[in-house]
Amino acid sequence: MRGLLLATGLLAGMGAALPAAAASFYLFPVQELEGMSPEARQARSLLDPKVMRRLFDGTDGQAAQAALLKRFVGQLHAVYPDSLVHAKQVADNRIGSGYRFVNDSSLQCRATPSFAVTDTYAVVLGVTRASLYEVERGENVEVLVPVTLSLQFVRPSLAKVVYTMSETVYTPFRFSRAEYASGAMDATIRAEVLKNVEAQVDSLVAVARAGFDPKALDVKIADRDGKFLVAERGVEAGFVKGEQVEARARDGKASIFDVLYADSGYAVLRAAMGGASPGDTLQFTFEGTGDDSRKPRLMPVAGAADAASNAVADMFGRAIGFKASFQLSPVDVHFAQTRQLITRSANCVDWGKLPSMSEASGVRTDPPDFFLRFTPVSTPSVRLSGAGGTKTEERFHTLVSAQVVDRFGKVVFSELGDDDYSIERVRGSGLHLDQAREVALKNATARLAQNFLANVRFTPRELRIAKVDGERLWVEGMDGVPGQRPSFAVLHPLSAKANGNPALLDLDVSGGSTAPLGEGALVGLSYSATNPALPKPQRGDIVRIFDQQLPGVTPVVDCQEPVYVGQNNQAEAVYAAPLVRHVLYRSRKHAGHVGDPAFYDEANGLLKAGMFSLALQAPAIALCVQPGYVIREDAAQCEGEACRATVTLGLMARFKNGSEVAKTVTTGLRTEFSGMPAASRAAFYGYRELGNGLSMQSDLLKKLDN
């Protein structure tokens, strides 16, 4: 049974102006499945060892891997008939002329024709998830096997993933408990799952062909200011701040440039290898359009072992695209393994000449401006029987909350998305609960993304630096009222022009560790300059402030203790904490900060993996807030299995200084329920009260702000 289609990719770039031969690109499939090695399996928490052994180990498993790779290469060749080459045909430089695909792993290096690594993309097929769900029903067992395949197009000369997509397929089974326990059905499971996985390969390649089509574009170097070059095209062409791009001059010489800033109509570049002069026209190859450097960059943070948060981050990124007032900068924590697969496969290349593919290729000095934290939760499921018991309904509710967090742990924005899901079954036949939960998670994440697009709007203000004093920038336009520490960037106007105006250079400056100060009409912002290769901030530079600063708010942080549960509670409500925190983060009288140590550990792990020169620290704030709830059954009456009850949901925010509760803010709602089954009243309350909790948000916010 085919399941969710989870696909993502970069849009195709701009049209080419140089001859077709110069604009050619070549693809070499890595003929090794990513995720198969012991190291890869250990690093990927979503690869169930039992499933991996059943599918891919032993003689039959090795044969299955070989069959998948053969199909993968065949499908790629069918849709890219003039671009596919073997990894052994990739070399340091072009050898010979013409095009020919030699699918032979015993091919000798430097055979004719071979293709320059700078003109190639590696295509990597991998297994990122293989799960197993088992549900016993009487003498039978229902088994569900979700498998996710990923497809990555990697520019090896830049160590850059330029296009990625994934698809999850679900294969259901029903066996007797005895035959399943004996292992007699393992061959059946492998055969059926792999049949579906083969169809996944076809689907992934077909979608990739529609989305991945690199284009070459001529771009003129318009001007320069010292070592900084200004190109006459910007984000509309595909330039992205923080990335490296390759270019070829008309004489064939190749160069690599760091993109220091990209705006509409221009980009600021610095040569990392080679160079250019004003008036030169270079040919760049872009896989897709870029994103505006004026937008702040957000890094999604999800723990490696947190399957749900990783799924939310993946789906959220696809739903957001380029439409938001921010841009996402995720980190692939497994790229080191991908790099090893590529270099091992294309072993005719002297990879030592490409520093980007070495194990340590330097430190990035352009860390993200903000971080995204996701919290997905789900209620218990409740079964409701129909007439005669032949038709049943199973219901549950999924909630996903997300926060934009600055480098100091302060929450700048918070949003929610939810999905109330119903599984209808006839004579026991219908969607598996685990598959339904993933569908609901996808739906809730889609609503979360819609809410982000509608409500999360960064409207940066641009202020001028009046003076620089030690580690502090003094800016005009804040009326001398400091407020909280803002998130900001510093832009230096170059002498080089873009469209008649000074081009701007981002100085990679971040906020410092001390609070702002007021001095007359000026506000002093502490700062740290992370890139010694760039100029220091100076008078006349622009400070672009991303988030609104409200003076007089009370800083608070999440308490590091369990959720408070009131007396006579009848049901579990894992959604109470994210609901209460969401309201607190939206309060105009409080500056809510994330206190969870796991968030900082995960964020710093991603920053380290991305080689960013930044580490986050949890804020030292004395006043913390502990979420709390109670679901109390005030009255109940049952006739047989059918019950009716009066139930009160209470939500609370307990402000604490150490162990002392300074104040408690509460809201409550009483509801009449009927028709719930007697045996699962607690689960019914836990399910239904999430909807009530969502409706109580405005009242709790009003009380927090009074």
Side-chain angles (χ1 to χ4, degrees):
M1 183 174 87
R2 300 309 304 275
L4 299 178
L5 175 66
L6 307 179
T8 184
L10 299 176
L11 300 175
M14 307 297 290
L18 288 186
S24 297
F25 65 92
Y26 301 98
L27 308 175
F28 67 92
V30 173
Q31 298 196 41
E32 183 177 346
L33 278 177
E34 188 169 28
M36 293 298 109
S37 70
E39 298 80 12
R41 296 187 190 190
Q42 186 175 8
R44 291 165 169 81
S45 61
L46 302 184
L47 297 180
D48 187 309
K50 291 188 298 183
V51 181
M52 295 297 288
R53 284 194 297 269
R54 281 177 171 172
L55 296 180
F56 300 114
D57 288 354
T59 303
D60 290 340
Q62 292 293 325
Q65 289 188 48
L68 282 177
L69 288 168
K70 182 178 180 180
R71 190 180 190 99
F72 168 54
V73 174
Q75 291 295 317
L76 274 177
H77 193 218
V79 299
Y80 292 104
D82 301 320
S83 298
L84 207 67
V85 300
H86 193 276
K88 289 281 191 179
Q89 290 180 273
V90 181
D92 296 341
N93 301 294
R94 175 83 190 227
I95 302 171
S97 60
Y99 166 77
R100 186 162 62 101
F101 173 37
V102 183
N103 192 17
D104 184 359
S105 295
S106 63
L107 191 69
Q108 295 299 306
C109 292
R110 304 184 65 80
T112 301
S114 290
F115 304 89
V117 65
T118 52
D119 293 331
T120 66
Y121 297 88
V123 190
V124 184
L125 181 70
V127 180
T128 59
R129 176 192 179 183
S131 303
L132 180 70
Y133 299 124
E134 302 169 342
V135 179
E136 294 183 355
R137 301 199 187 283
E139 293 303 312
N140 296 319
V141 56
E142 293 180 357
V143 179
L144 185 70
V145 183
V147 174
T148 301
L149 289 187
S150 69
L151 189 63
Q152 295 184 88
F153 289 72
V154 181
R155 192 75 180 266
S157 55
L158 297 176
K160 171 183 169 185
V161 178
V162 297
Y163 185 95
T164 181
M165 56 190 307
S166 63
E167 181 179 331
T168 301
V169 68
Y170 298 82
T171 309
F173 302 93
R174 186 180 179 90
F175 304 117
S176 72
R177 292 172 64 178
E179 64 182 356
Y180 182 64
S182 71
M185 306 312 297
D186 283 3
T188 300
I189 292 173
R190 176 190 284 116
E192 189 65 23
V193 171
L194 291 177
K195 183 179 74 173
N196 284 342
V197 170
E198 286 181 351
Q200 274 181 285
V201 171
D202 298 354
S203 175
L204 284 169
V205 172
V207 175
R209 185 62 187 94
F212 179 78
D213 189 17
K215 302 295 184 183
L217 180 68
D218 281 356
V219 178
K220 184 178 180 181
I221 303 300
D223 203 350
R224 79 178 305 151
D225 179 348
K227 57 189 174 183
F228 306 114
L229 301 169
V230 177
E232 67 175 7
R233 304 294 296 272
V235 295
E236 73 283 358
F239 289 106
V240 177
K241 181 186 182 300
E243 293 191 351
Q244 284 191 327
V245 290
E246 288 177 319
R248 181 170 289 144
R250 293 195 178 276
D251 61 4
K253 291 183 179 179
S255 298
I256 295 178
F257 298 93
D258 295 315
V259 182
L260 303 179
Y261 190 73
D263 206 326
S264 178
Y266 78 93
V268 178
L269 313 176
R270 181 177 55 192
M273 185 187 81
S277 300
D280 290 350
T281 296
L282 305 178
Q283 185 182 78
F284 294 84
T285 298
F286 295 108
E287 295 80 26
T289 55
D291 218 333
D292 198 333
S293 292
R294 290 171 296 184
K295 296 180 180 180
R297 286 172 299 155
L298 277 61
M299 176 186 287
V301 175
D306 189 344
S309 291
N310 276 279
V312 168
D314 186 41
M315 292 183 288
F316 181 86
R318 288 194 299 275
I320 288 294
F322 292 109
K323 297 172 286 187
S325 63
F326 53 86
Q327 52 182 311
L328 298 178
S329 59
V331 171
D332 181 2
V333 296
H334 301 302
F335 185 72
Q337 293 179 1
T338 305
R339 181 170 49 199
Q340 289 174 4
L341 286 181
I342 293 171
T343 55
R344 183 163 62 238
S345 176
N347 57 13
C348 296
V349 177
D350 183 358
W351 294 107
K353 296 179 180 178
L354 296 169
S356 58
M357 290 296 281
S358 65
E359 287 301 317
S361 58
V363 175
R364 291 189 63 174
T365 55
D366 58 334
D369 305 290
F370 298 94
F371 300 83
L372 261 176
R373 180 183 71 162
F374 300 102
T375 306
V377 293
S378 189
T379 70
S381 64
V382 180
R383 290 178 176 269
L384 305 173
S385 297
T390 60
K391 184 176 181 180
T392 63
E393 182 184 27
E394 188 168 6
R395 300 191 67 96
F396 61 91
H397 203 155
T398 299
L399 176 74
V400 181
S401 74
Q403 288 77 44
V404 178
V405 185
D406 72 9
R407 297 177 185 178
F408 309 111
K410 182 181 64 180
V411 176
V412 180
F413 293 103
S414 182
E415 284 295 336
L416 300 174
D418 74 293
D419 186 55
D420 193 349
Y421 201 89
S422 172
I423 310 169
E424 293 185 356
R425 297 189 178 93
V426 178
R427 295 183 178 87
S429 178
L431 205 61
H432 194 284
L433 176 61
D434 292 297
Q435 185 179 2
R437 286 199 183 277
E438 295 196 18
V439 174
L441 186 67
K442 178 177 179 288
N443 295 342
T445 303
R447 291 188 174 91
L448 172 71
Q450 291 173 0
N451 291 336
F452 255 76
L453 289 171
N455 302 321
V456 175
R457 298 192 178 277
F458 286 93
T459 53
R461 289 186 299 156
E462 294 191 349
L463 309 175
R464 289 284 179 175
I465 295 179
K467 63 178 181 177
V468 179
D469 181 8
E471 297 300 315
R472 203 171 286 275
L473 311 170
W474 295 89
V475 299
E476 302 170 315
M478 297 181 71
D479 300 324
V481 182
Q484 300 290 308
R485 285 181 295 183
S487 298
F488 61 87
V490 178
L491 307 170
H492 173 66
L494 297 172
S495 62
K497 304 286 186 181
N499 303 315
N501 297 311
L504 298 177
L505 172 66
D506 192 328
L507 299 184
D508 287 341
V509 166
S510 62
S513 58
T514 59
L517 298 177
E519 182 183 280
L522 304 179
V523 170
L525 306 176
S526 67
Y527 78 98
S528 63
T530 59
N531 192 341
L534 297 177
K536 294 285 188 180
Q538 57 189 268
R539 175 183 171 86
D541 286 350
I542 298 169
V543 176
R544 182 175 288 159
I545 297 180
F546 295 117
D547 53 333
Q548 183 181 10
Q549 297 305 298
L550 298 175
V553 298
T554 301
V556 295
V557 67
D558 304 328
C559 291
Q560 294 311 295
E561 55 186 299
V563 173
Y564 176 81
V565 181
Q567 293 183 346
N568 302 318
N569 182 67
Q570 298 292 315
E572 184 179 9
V574 294
Y575 45 82
L579 285 177
V580 172
R581 287 180 178 139
H582 169 67
V583 176
L584 177 74
Y585 297 148
R586 295 171 74 103
S587 169
R588 295 182 64 83
K589 286 198 171 182
H590 304 88
H593 292 69
V594 174
D596 184 7
F599 167 78
Y600 295 94
D601 289 343
E602 291 159 3
N604 287 330
L606 290 170
L607 288 167
K608 183 178 179 180
M611 294 183 291
F612 289 105
S613 57
L614 175 69
L616 303 187
Q617 289 185 336
I621 299 174
L623 188 63
C624 74
V625 179
Q626 179 191 28
Y629 77 96
V630 65
I631 298 176
R632 187 179 62 241
E633 189 180 69
D634 298 322
Q637 182 179 356
C638 297
E639 296 181 5
E641 279 299 305
C643 298
R644 50 190 294 182
T646 303
V647 179
T648 296
L649 169 65
L651 296 176
M652 64 198 76
R654 290 159 47 96
F655 290 77
K656 303 182 70 175
N657 201 329
S659 60
E660 180 182 348
V661 178
K663 69 173 180 177
T664 301
V665 179
T666 64
T667 184
L669 182 65
R670 178 175 292 179
T671 308
E672 301 284 341
F673 293 127
S674 63
M676 67 276 200
S680 54
R681 284 176 12 220
F684 184 87
Y685 299 154
Y687 155 63
R688 287 292 301 270
E689 290 292 9
L690 173 51
N692 284 337
L694 288 167
S695 69
M696 296 160 62
Q697 301 282 286
S698 58
D699 185 64
L700 183 58
L701 180 60
K702 183 189 299 183
K703 291 177 178 178
L704 281 169
D705 283 349
N706 283 340

